[in-house]
Amino acid sequence: MFANNSCEKKGAGIMATRLVFLSLVCGAVSVSVGEHLTTSEVPPKRPYFVDCRSPEQETFSCWWSAGDYQNLTGPGALSVFFQKNRDVWRECPDYSTAGENHCYFNSTYTSIWIPYCVQLRSQIQDIVYHQMCFTVDEIVVPDPPVGLNWTLLNISQTGQHFDILIQWEPPPSADVKKGWISLVYEPQYRAINMSDWKPLEVERACYQSVYGLKTGMEYEIRVRCKQAASEKFSEFSEHLYVYIPKVPTKETLFPFTMILIFGAVGVIIVLMLIIFSQQQRLMVYFLPPVPVPKIMGIDPELLKKGKLDELNSILSGHHTFKPELYNDDLWVEFIELDIDDQDGRSHHSDTHKLLGSENLNGNCLNIKDDDSGRASCYEPELPDSDMLDRSQAEAREEKASLLDSEGRAAHSSTTDPSPPGRSHPGATAEGASRSHPQIQSQLSSQSWVNLDFYAQVSNITPAGGVLLSPGQQSKIEKTAEAHSSPKTQKCQLAMTTDSAYTSEMDAKNISATPSLNGNEPKVIVSPYTVSEAPASSVPPVSDYTTVQAVDSQQSLLLNPSTLPTKGTPMPAGYLTPEQLNSIMP
Amino acid sequence: MSEAYPGLVLLLVLQVCAWVLLLWRCWGVLGYPLDCKDEQGSIISCTSISLEKLLDRVIQHAELIYHVSEESCTLFEEMFVPVSMHTQQNRARNTCITKAFPIPGSKSEIQKISDKWLLHSVLMLVQSWIEPLVYLQKTLDRYDDAADTILNKTKWVTNKLSSLEQGIVELIRKMLDEGLLAVEHQQTLTRFDAQPEVVESILRDYAVLTCFKKDAHKMEVFLKLLKCRHTDKMSCYIS
């Protein structure tokens, strides 16, 4: 009881406080609301026209919103009045056709290019909430196009892309056919999973091509239209879905072929690079250089101008080399030299000549040896050398032939490793004492057929006649090689083979040397001269002899002939026909 | 020099090609050249043109004029008209003075108009706008260089209007067998007499452009209706 009273009292107190609290709160709220309402600048939004629109330029409709005035939302709360061409204000003819809050003007009320004004008024018609003025051609917003369809134009060769042609119909409400309204269209497309629409060209035509779509992907297409000069587009049409499945075979083959092609091209490029970079090596490998005709022992550098001397020396070393260089002029000059030297002819003068500054020795020694072992001391002339060279060469030849004779004389003593005869006149003397048959054997000659200046003496008659026979040169060469020292051998052989002839001087010299030493006479044979070889005495050398007989083996028997009368001057090396007649018996 | 000669020739050829390409694109804008063929299809000298082709060309002209006038209007509005006046209300306030004889606006009424009246209406419209456009060019000169594009467009439109006028005259002669001896330029009422202030002059020019745009649209629609009637008479009269 007591507790109840206290509870009641407490409850009442609590209730009171609660009420006070609530009232305070309510008051505060109301005050704040009131303050808010009174102090804010924003009035309640009045009813207003949202927009007016004509879909086909034949009718139009306007719709409004009540704004914040919620009590005016119901039908009939607001009224619309319109004024056509600044005429009288009339009320909206149709509130219902277009829907709630819409005022619809049919074609009888619609005139194009004529200014309209509409007003939103309260029902009592004394408050104008909103007014709007326009001309119908400005508010044309057409309906969306209809009847979208597509046809396939083509598929690319790879099967990855395709092109289509999309077509549509103008909105049925728009009287495009009569030309009352002109529309332009804008199609758009996108892949299903993409978010951005891709617009295509805005065109008057009711069709358009879309290129470059991918197979295996689904696409969406939509179209919208607008009046040509207007900026307001219609709503979008219904979406059209396009899909073409991928063609698997083409797709799988295509990359392989492309890889093959590119791989082949790459390989070709690499090969070309290799070939061009290693061009020289490959040329050598595949097309080895043709061996240039090479003469052993001759450096091609020597063939260059200015090195004729060395070349001559080398070339003369080849036994097969036939110097075709001795033309008649050389022979003449050779003879001339003989004439010059006739007076001063002596063994010593010859040797002096031999030991002259021309360094034949040096040439001989310095000759590069090659495999054939036929270096030559002898320097045959080349045809293109000038006269000076020729004369020099002649002099050398002369001396070489002298050397040859001396060398041969030296060679005759096989047992004696004599020094080369060219440097020692003593050797010459020694050589003079050689045996007769050896000399004979050394006097190698080539066959008459070769027209060399030497023929082999095969026999000497007691009367002094000489029997010449051809073709035993090689044998003698071999014997000569076997017996002599290499260098002397070379010299001798060179003298033997390559020398065209010996001079008379040489012949006389050779013949004279035995006289010094009191040896048997030697016989040196040349095609032009023959010296008699008497057994005991040195016969006077005569220039010519007669051929007495010709053997079956083509051997010539030569008779010693008497010297012509001393009074007659001997021509240089050849006889005039008169002299010949005088000589011949 | 002889070495540079082939280069010069090539350059010249390229130039010509470039110009041809440029002009080719413009041909669509300027209109296709007259293709004078008679019924057999052989090309004859352009002494006469068929009715269909004439009508097509006239419609082409009208479309272009409307398109360019709409561009000029938009440009002018962006450049010179204050933002506060961009609403449609203000556009409509600048009412265009109606012509001597009122042209009905509703489609049904227009469809009832005869060919003769349609043609004459168009001719009258064309003729009534040549002078105001010339006047507009003069006023646009007073603006700064920003109005050059609008000025150029206006000049172009004026030229096209004259040729459109000729076309309409010819069309009248062919379709209606009427011969207009002289082109009568009706003196239009000078709509804007008073010496304006700056803002008013802007609004005035804007009004001129807007009104011209409307009339250009009218011309285009009339001519298209005319063409429909010419090609397919039965369906065109059904509204």
Side-chain angles (χ1 to χ4, degrees), chain B residues 14-53:
Chain B
L14 283 172
Q15 284 265 340
V16 168
C17 288
W19 276 111
V20 165
L21 283 171
L22 265 174
L23 291 174
W24 190 261
R25 307 214 58 178
C26 293
W27 267 337
V29 172
L30 297 172
Y32 298 100
L34 278 178
D35 190 12
C36 296
K37 286 184 188 177
D38 60 356
E39 283 72 27
Q40 281 77 30
S42 62
I43 296 174
I44 56 172
S45 61
C46 288
T47 53
S48 67
I49 183 173
S50 69
L51 192 59
E52 289 83 8
K53 285 206 167 56

Side-chain angles (χ1 to χ4, degrees), chain A residues 51 57-58 85-86 107-108 110-117 130-135 137-139 175 177-182 204 227-232, chain B residues 63 66-67 70 74 88-89 91-95 98 103-108 110-111 210 213-215 217-218 220-222 224-225 228 235-239:
Chain A
D51 202 2
Q57 208 172 259
E58 296 169 34
N85 207 9
R86 313 228 175 254
S107 56
T108 53
T110 309
S111 296
I112 324 297
W113 307 295
I114 289 172
Y116 279 79
C117 283
H130 192 212
Q131 179 174 308
M132 219 164 97
C133 293
F134 53 86
T135 56
D137 55 296
E138 290 169 358
I139 59 167
D175 193 2
K177 199 171 65 167
K178 292 202 193 79
W180 179 248
I181 187 170
S182 306
R204 245 176 231 275
Q227 210 180 15
S230 161
E231 289 178 0
K232 298 178 193 172
Chain B
E63 278 177 348
Y66 176 49
H67 186 72
E70 198 267 338
T74 315
Q88 283 181 344
Q89 303 181 24
R91 272 192 225 161
R93 279 195 190 139
N94 299 318
T95 56
T98 56
I103 296 169
S106 70
K107 183 187 174 188
S108 53
I110 290 168
Q111 277 188 308
T210 315
K213 182 178 93 170
K214 284 194 189 29
D215 285 346
H217 192 214
K218 260 189 231 178
E220 183 190 334
V221 170
F222 286 3
K224 281 185 178 172
L225 280 174
C228 177
S235 62
C236 284
Y237 279 109
I238 299 168
S239 60

